[in-house]
Amino acid sequence: MNNWFNLSAAQTVKALSTNIEHGLTAAEASRRLEEVGQNQLSAVRKISPWRIFADQFTDFMVLVLIGAALVSGFLGEQEDALTILAIIILNALLGFFQEYRAEKSLEALKELTSPLAHVWRDGKPQRIPAKELVPGDIIALESGDRVPADGRIVAAINLEINEATLTGESMAVAKTEEVLSQTNPVLGDQRNMVFAGTVVTSGRGKAVVCATGMKTEIGKIAGMISQTEDEATPLQKRLEQLGRWLVVICLGVCAMVGTLGVLRGEPPRQMFMAAVSLAVAAIPEGLPAIVTIALAVGVQKMIKRKAIVRKLPAVETLGCATVICSDKTGTLTQNKLTVTKIWAGGREYLLKPESSPRNGVKLSFDIKRLLEIGALCNNAYLEENHQKKGRYQITGEPTEAAIVAVAAGYGITAQGLAKRLRREGEIPFSSERKRMGVWVKEAQEGRLLMVKGAADVILERSVHFLKGQSVIELTPELKSQIKAEIDRWGAEALRVLAFAYRLVEPGEIKERDPGDPERDLIFTGLMGMTDPPRPESGQAVIKAKRAGIQVKMITGDYPRTAAAIGKQISLLRPEGKIITGVELDRLSDAELTRVIGEIDIFARVSPHHKLRVVKALKQNGEVVAMTGDGVNDAPAVKESDIGVAMGISGTDVTKEASSMIIADDNFATIVAAVEEGRIIYDNIRKFIRYLLSCNIGEILTMFGGILLGLPFPLLPIQMLWVNLVTDGLPAIALGMDPAEPGVMSRPPRPSREGIFSRGLGWKIVLQGLLIGLATLGVYLIQLRDGQGLVLARTTAFTTLVFAQLCFVFQCRSERHSFLKNNPFQNLYLVGAVMISTLMQLTVVYLPWFQKIFDTGSLTERDWFLILFAVVSVAFCGDLAFRFRRVIRKHLAYFHWNTNRAVKAVVK
C-alpha cells in the first residue's frame, strides 16, 4: 500500500497490526525483520579479500619485478625467477593481511557511527540501530533527529521537517497527523508523512513506520546512498606527492647504476636485474599504505577510549589542537541532576536526598502548584521497574527526570493528575527560547498555560507572583529578591529553573500555531539542582593545560554556576574572564578576536554564539575542537577544525557535522583523543624516518660500490630479501609503539608543520649515510682480507639487515636517546625483529637457501666485524643526536640572553 496519507492514523496503525501506545513486541519485530530485511539501502559492494590480494600485484614496482622474473625465466635463470616470484608473493601476503585488517577496522568504524532510532517496543521507549526498524514500529521524532524510515505521522507537536534531500526545497515543512484528501500528492505535499533521510528541524512527534530499506522514497532514488566518503588525510596526500618525486629520483639513480655497470663491462642481464632490484628496494612505495595502516590502528585504539572518529583527517588534526571548547552539562559534569532546593512563596526549602517517599507531607498551595507544573510541563515519565517489583524508574532528559523525581516524591505525577489536569498541547523547548510550555484543561479553572525554563527568562515574562493561595503583583522589590536568590544558588553551582503559569481564554492558544502566549505569567517558584563535576574532569583539564591546550567552557547556565564548576575543575584561571551572551553581542568581531584569549567561560550563550567563538579563535590562528549536541550546534561544530559530537545526547544532525563522536559524552575522552592523535602522528614520523633512512642506506651501498669500481656489494636477489625482511614486519610493528613519556607535556605542533620538520630530514640523511658507509666498509674489509666475493657479500648483506633492525629501536623516539627507551615496551617490535633475525639466519646458514641467495656460512670473525659495524652505526647515530641536542640547548640559551639584553636596552 502506498496511499498511507489517505488513511487516518488509527486506520494506518490497524493496517500495520501495531499499537500506538505500546508499539510492536520484540518477538514480532524480530519476525518482521526476518521477513522484510534490514532497514538499509542496498549495500555498496565492499572490497572483497580477493580484490585486496589482487591489488597487491598492481603496484608499478611489483609489475616491474614480475617482468624481471619473466625475463630471468626466459634467459634460463629458473632459480632466480622462482625466488623473485616467491618474494613477490610473500610481500603481497604481508600487504594483504595489513590492508585487510585496516579495511575491517574502517568497516567497524562505519558500523559504530551508524544512526540510532527512538522506538517503542513492548510498551517501552528504546534506542536501537536504525537498520533494525520494521514496518509497524512506532518511532519518536525530536528536533535534530534524522528520520530513520518512511512513516505515517500519528502525533505532531509543532513538527517541522527539512526534506531537501528528497524535494530540493530548503524550507522546512510543517507536519500534521490529519488525513489528506488528495489522491496522489507529490512528496512535498504529503504533510502527514515522514521520509527516511530527512531532518527534524523543530518540534516533536510520533510516526508508525510504513516502509524500510529500498522500499522507502530515498531507496527508490538511485545514487542517494548516504555514506561517508573515504578521505585521504593531508599527510597522506603529502606523502603520495613525496613518493612520486622519490620514484623519479630513484629510477634515475637505478638507470645510472645499470648504465655505469654495462659501460664497465658487466653483463647487461645482470645489470638489468641489479637496477630493478635496487629500484624496488630503494623506492618507499609502501609509505602511503603504512600510513593508512597506522591511522586504522590508531582509530581502533581511540574507539577503545570511547572516541569514534568519523573522518580520518581529524586524527591528524587532533595533535594540533590548541583550544578545546566544551559544553558544561554532561561533558564536564555528570549530568546526574538532583533537585536539592525549592523556593516558593518567598521561602526556601532544603530537600535531603532520601529514598523514602514524602507522600504524607502536607503541602502549601504554592509548593503544590510548583510541583504540578514540574510534573505536567515535562516529557520525562515514571514507570514501574519490571525487574524490581515495587520500584519505579524515570525515562527522559536528565533535567526533566530530576523534576519528575522530586514531584513524585510528594505523590504528584502526571498520571495521578490526569483526571483533574489533562494535558492538551505543548510548545517545545528550544535553546533560543530557553523555555517550554504546555496547556492543560482544569475542571475548575478552565484552561491553564504552564511554563518552565531558564529562571531569568521566566522572571522577565512574569507580572504576578503566587504566595500561598494568593496571586499578588510582582513588584520590582520582589523581582530583585528573586534575582538575588537565583544568583545565590548559582554561586553554589546549582542549576536553576523557574516555573510559572496563567489562565488562558478559550481559543487563545491554537494547537497548530500557538504563537507566543508565554507572557503575563504568574511566577510560582524555583527549583535548584546540583550536577557535580565528573571526577575525571579536573585531571583532564590540568592534563590539557599542561599540553599547551586552552580549555574554554561554553554553557547556557548562569555565570556564577559556571564559575563555581570552573573553579572546582581548575578551568577558570585566577585572571580568567567570564562573559555572557548579552555581553558577547555587544562586542564586534574584531573586539572579540582581540580579547577571546582572556576569556575562560562563556555563560548564558545560545548556539549562534558558539559559531562566533569558533571564528574568533580561528582568526587568532588557533586549532579549535568544539563540542556540540543540539541541532543548532551543528554550524559551530562544522566550522571548527575538530567538530566533536556527543554520542549520548547528540542529535543526528550534529553527529553528521562532526569529525568525531564521544561515545560517553565525557570531557576526559576528548583529551584522551587528543593524546591518541599525538601518538599516531609521532608513530607516522617514526615510519617515515625508518623507511627513508633504510632506503638511503641501500642506495648508497649499491651506488657507492659501483662508483668505487667494485663487484656488486649485494646481488639483486639479496636486495629483494632486505626489502622483505626490514621493510615489512618491523616497520608495521613500529606503528604499535606506545606513547613516549611526556607526549602531553609538550605544546601542540603547528598545523602547517612539514613532513621533515624538527630536523627529521637531516636525521634521515645522516642515518642513511651511516648504514650505507658501514655496509660498504665491511664489504671492503672482507675483500681486502681475501675472504672471497661470496663471503664478502654475505657479510655486507647481513650487516645491512642488522644495521636496519638495530636502527628501528632508535626510531622509537625523536626526543630521547634509544639507550633510555625500554625495548620491551613494544613487544610487537621485539617479536618482529626476532622473526626477521631468524629469517636472515635461515638464508645465511641453511644450504638450500645458500644456493638460492648465493650466501656462505659466517665465522666468529665475520660476526665480530658485523657486530662492530652495527654498534658503530648505533653509537654514531646516538652521538649525533646528543650533539644536536647540546647545540640546540646552547642556541636557545643564547637566544634567551639576547632577548633579555634587547629588552633591557629598550627599557
Side-chain angles (χ1 to χ4, degrees):
M1 185 182 292
N2 294 318
N3 62 332
W4 301 106
F5 43 78
N6 291 139
L7 301 181
S8 69
Q11 289 173 321
T12 306
V13 168
K14 185 177 179 181
L16 290 165
S17 303
T18 186
N19 183 289
I20 291 180
E21 298 299 325
H22 297 91
L24 298 172
T25 63
E28 176 62 16
S30 179
R31 188 192 68 76
R32 294 189 187 190
L33 188 63
E34 285 288 327
E35 185 180 314
V36 301
Q38 291 191 329
N39 175 36
Q40 56 187 7
L41 303 182
S42 291
V44 178
R45 290 184 63 190
K46 296 173 184 175
I47 299 175
S48 70
W50 290 111
R51 175 66 184 275
I52 295 173
F53 184 68
D55 283 348
Q56 305 302 312
F57 300 96
T58 59
D59 183 81
F60 173 70
M61 296 316 301
V62 174
L63 292 174
V64 171
L65 260 186
I66 292 170
L70 292 174
V71 171
S72 296
F74 180 74
L75 295 174
E77 300 289 340
Q78 303 297 335
E79 285 186 359
D80 277 1
L82 290 172
T83 305
I84 292 169
L85 288 174
I87 289 174
I88 290 170
I89 292 168
L90 279 172
N91 258 324
L93 286 170
L94 186 64
F96 162 76
F97 285 122
Q98 290 303 318
E99 283 190 37
Y100 182 70
R101 184 181 171 191
E103 188 75 24
K104 282 291 181 186
S105 296
L106 296 176
E107 273 182 28
L109 186 63
K110 287 178 182 176
E111 191 71 22
L112 281 171
T113 57
S114 62
L116 296 173
H118 301 261
V119 63
W120 288 78
R121 294 257 178 98
D122 293 319
K124 293 184 293 185
Q126 301 175 25
R127 282 165 64 90
I128 65 170
K131 66 182 180 181
E132 294 178 11
L133 285 177
V134 294
D137 266 324
I138 304 297
I139 55 174
L141 300 170
E142 295 184 358
S143 178
D145 286 351
R146 186 169 288 279
V147 179
D150 286 6
R152 168 69 165 86
I153 296 169
V154 295
I157 301 171
N158 298 332
L159 183 64
E160 293 191 357
I161 295 181
N162 186 313
E163 297 178 341
T165 52
L166 284 175
T167 64
E169 177 57 54
S170 59
M171 293 292 290
V173 179
K175 294 292 183 177
T176 177
E177 67 265 28
E178 293 177 359
V179 178
L180 298 186
S181 57
Q182 298 163 274
T183 54
N184 193 24
V186 296
L187 288 181
D189 291 337
Q190 294 181 23
R191 294 182 179 270
N192 59 4
M193 298 290 293
V194 293
F195 303 106
T198 58
V199 176
V200 180
T201 56
S202 65
R204 59 192 191 87
K206 268 186 180 183
V208 56
V209 174
C210 302
T212 59
M214 293 304 291
K215 292 183 179 178
T216 60
E217 292 298 328
I218 200 169
K220 296 172 187 175
I221 301 173
M224 292 293 287
I225 296 172
S226 175
Q227 285 202 344
T228 304
E229 295 179 7
D230 293 333
E231 189 176 353
T233 72
L235 180 62
Q236 283 175 307
K237 292 172 184 174
R238 291 201 297 270
L239 286 177
E240 284 173 10
Q241 189 176 12
L242 172 67
R244 284 194 289 270
W245 279 105
L246 288 174
V247 166
V248 172
I249 294 168
C250 289
L251 287 176
V253 171
C254 295
M256 194 186 304
V257 168
T259 305
L260 287 172
V262 171
L263 292 175
R264 213 179 64 192
E266 299 284 355
R269 182 185 66 79
Q270 190 175 352
M271 290 313 304
F272 167 74
M273 288 297 296
V276 168
S277 305
L278 182 59
V280 172
I283 295 171
E285 69 276 0
L287 260 185
I290 282 181
V291 169
T292 303
I293 291 163
L295 289 170
V297 170
V299 161
Q300 284 298 307
K301 287 182 181 177
M302 292 173 86
I303 289 170
K304 289 176 183 176
R305 299 181 79 167
K306 307 290 187 185
I308 303 166
V309 175
R310 293 187 66 252
K311 299 171 185 174
L312 275 182
V315 179
E316 189 181 329
T317 314
L318 276 167
C320 309
T322 59
V323 180
I324 301 174
C325 296
S326 174
D327 292 312
K328 176 181 73 69
T329 304
T331 307
L332 291 167
T333 62
Q334 296 179 30
N335 206 18
K336 291 180 180 176
L337 292 164
T338 305
V339 177
T340 57
K341 288 185 179 182
I342 286 176
W343 189 90
R347 291 183 60 190
E348 179 186 293
Y349 300 88
L350 185 64
L351 304 181
K352 294 181 180 179
E354 53 189 32
S355 56
S356 58
R358 297 176 283 267
N359 302 39
V361 177
K362 188 174 181 180
L363 301 173
S364 62
F365 180 79
D366 45 18
I367 293 179
K368 187 179 178 184
R369 177 49 52 94
L370 172 67
L371 295 173
E372 285 174 348
I373 297 170
L376 291 168
C377 188
N378 203 312
N379 288 319
Y381 58 92
L382 191 71
E383 63 178 353
E384 188 174 355
N385 189 325
H386 297 291
Q387 294 177 339
K388 297 178 181 179
K389 295 295 181 183
R391 300 292 295 272
Y392 290 84
Q393 62 187 28
I394 299 171
T395 304
E397 192 271 330
T399 304
E400 296 199 322
I403 297 168
V404 167
V406 73
Y410 288 97
I412 297 173
T413 64
Q415 296 92 323
L417 294 170
K419 290 181 181 178
R420 184 169 62 86
L421 294 165
R422 183 165 56 85
R423 178 167 150 172
E424 292 186 325
E426 175 188 335
I427 308 169
F429 173 87
S430 76
S431 50
E432 284 84 13
R433 289 168 19 87
K434 293 188 173 71
R435 62 189 184 276
M436 169 191 177
V438 297
W439 59 95
V440 300
K441 190 171 183 180
E442 185 175 47
Q444 295 177 348
E445 296 183 66
R447 196 173 260 113
L448 294 176
L449 174 66
M450 294 179 167
V451 185
K452 79 168 191 293
D456 55 339
V457 173
I458 303 300
L459 186 60
E460 288 304 315
R461 288 178 164 263
S462 300
V463 294
H464 295 95
F465 177 68
L466 182 65
K467 186 167 186 178
Q469 291 187 320
S470 304
V471 176
I472 63 174
E473 183 187 352
L474 183 63
T475 62
E477 293 77 19
L478 190 51
K479 225 174 193 181
S480 297
Q481 182 189 342
I482 296 171
K483 283 182 178 177
E485 197 71 22
I486 293 168
D487 288 342
R488 187 169 65 81
W489 284 12
E492 296 171 14
L494 293 181
R495 188 173 189 181
V496 187
L497 289 185
F499 300 79
Y501 75 102
R502 74 175 176 91
L503 289 168
V504 292
E505 299 298 326
E508 182 183 346
I509 300 177
K510 295 177 182 177
E511 191 171 347
R512 302 296 168 211
D513 183 19
D516 183 22
E518 299 145 325
R519 62 187 184 280
D520 302 330
L521 299 171
I522 302 167
F523 193 89
T524 309
L526 304 168
M527 286 191 193
M529 307 171 206
T530 180
D531 180 17
R534 290 178 181 266
E536 60 273 22
S537 288
Q539 284 301 315
V541 169
I542 292 168
K543 190 176 186 179
K545 289 185 174 183
R546 195 185 301 127
I549 302 168
Q550 302 173 55
V551 182
K552 298 184 184 295
M553 182 194 296
I554 301 184
T555 178
D557 222 328
Y558 292 94
R560 296 185 73 172
T561 309
I565 295 291
K567 287 174 183 175
Q568 287 180 47
I569 60 174
S570 306
L571 183 147
L572 183 60
R573 298 167 294 176
E575 73 282 5
K577 293 181 179 178
I578 302 173
I579 190 171
T580 65
V582 173
E583 292 167 332
L584 195 61
D585 287 332
R586 295 195 197 111
L587 296 176
S588 67
D589 289 342
E591 288 171 328
L592 179 59
T593 302
R594 190 171 63 252
V595 302
I596 198 163
E598 303 167 11
I599 303 168
D600 287 342
I601 294 174
F602 297 85
R604 304 303 287 158
V605 295
S606 298
H608 72 273
H609 291 126
K610 281 189 171 186
L611 187 59
R612 283 196 70 198
V613 170
V614 171
K615 288 181 175 179
L617 287 167
K618 289 178 74 174
Q619 191 69 33
N620 282 345
E622 306 288 0
V623 177
V624 186
M626 169 66 80
T627 68
D629 50 14
V631 63
N632 293 317
D633 291 335
V637 168
K638 193 162 189 175
E639 176 70 22
S640 65
D641 299 285
I642 308 155
V644 182
M646 300 294 107
I648 298 171
S649 60
T651 59
D652 292 342
V653 174
T654 308
K655 288 176 184 176
E656 288 181 15
S658 70
S659 308
M660 183 172 72
I661 298 170
I662 300 302
D664 57 358
D665 289 13
N666 193 337
F667 176 79
T669 303
I670 303 172
V671 178
V674 170
E675 181 178 10
E676 204 60 54
R678 290 188 177 192
I679 296 167
I680 292 167
Y681 191 81
D682 282 354
N683 286 349
I684 289 172
R685 280 176 63 92
K686 294 172 190 177
F687 277 143
I688 296 168
R689 180 184 176 190
Y690 176 67
L691 288 177
L692 294 186
S693 295
C694 292
N695 289 347
I696 289 173
E698 291 161 14
I699 291 173
L700 185 61
T701 298
M702 293 298 288
F703 195 55
I706 290 172
L707 285 178
L708 292 172
L710 302 171
F712 287 141
L714 299 177
L715 294 175
I717 204 75
Q718 293 170 344
M719 287 297 297
L720 293 175
W721 182 256
V722 170
N723 199 44
L724 174 67
V725 170
T726 62
D727 287 5
L729 291 175
I732 292 162
L734 203 54
M736 311 283 188
D737 223 29
E740 282 190 57
V743 71
M744 290 296 280
S745 298
R746 60 178 190 251
R749 62 182 173 82
S751 57
R752 298 186 181 275
E753 180 180 272
I755 298 173
F756 300 113
S757 62
R758 290 180 269 146
L760 184 61
W762 289 109
K763 290 173 190 172
I764 288 168
V765 172
L766 176 64
Q767 198 67 39
L769 285 170
L770 289 173
I771 291 171
L773 290 173
T775 306
L776 269 177
V778 166
Y779 183 58
L780 284 168
I781 290 170
Q782 291 289 72
L783 287 178
R784 185 199 65 189
D785 293 349
Q787 295 296 317
L789 187 57
V790 171
L791 195 59
R793 277 179 176 155
T794 305
T795 312
F797 177 35
T798 307
T799 300
L800 183 60
V801 169
F802 282 105
Q804 293 184 7
L805 293 180
C806 181
F807 173 57
V808 77
F809 290 102
Q810 288 180 269
C811 290
R812 290 190 59 224
S813 177
E814 290 186 57
R815 293 169 178 80
H816 307 286
S817 165
F818 81 101
L819 297 172
K820 291 184 178 180
N821 285 330
N822 180 3
F824 295 101
Q825 285 180 328
N826 187 345
L827 292 177
Y828 294 106
L829 185 59
V830 172
V833 168
M834 288 176 68
I835 291 169
S836 295
T837 300
L838 281 173
M839 290 171 70
Q840 180 62 18
L841 293 176
T842 300
V843 301
V844 170
Y845 285 106
L846 292 186
W848 189 75
F849 285 104
Q850 285 180 339
K851 186 179 178 184
I852 294 172
F853 287 93
D854 200 15
T855 56
S857 298
L858 297 172
T859 64
E860 288 183 9
R861 174 192 172 278
D862 302 328
W863 277 112
F864 177 79
L865 187 60
I866 292 167
L867 185 63
F868 178 78
V870 170
V871 170
S872 297
V873 169
F875 174 77
C876 291
D878 192 61
L879 195 67
F881 166 80
R882 292 172 185 272
F883 179 73
R884 186 171 179 273
R885 193 167 63 175
V886 169
I887 292 295
R888 285 181 65 185
K889 185 178 178 181
H890 280 81
L891 284 173
Y893 182 70
F894 174 75
H895 182 68
W896 181 71
N897 274 327
T898 304
N899 281 345
R900 282 187 67 192
V902 169
K903 286 177 182 177
V905 169
V906 171
K907 191 174 179 181

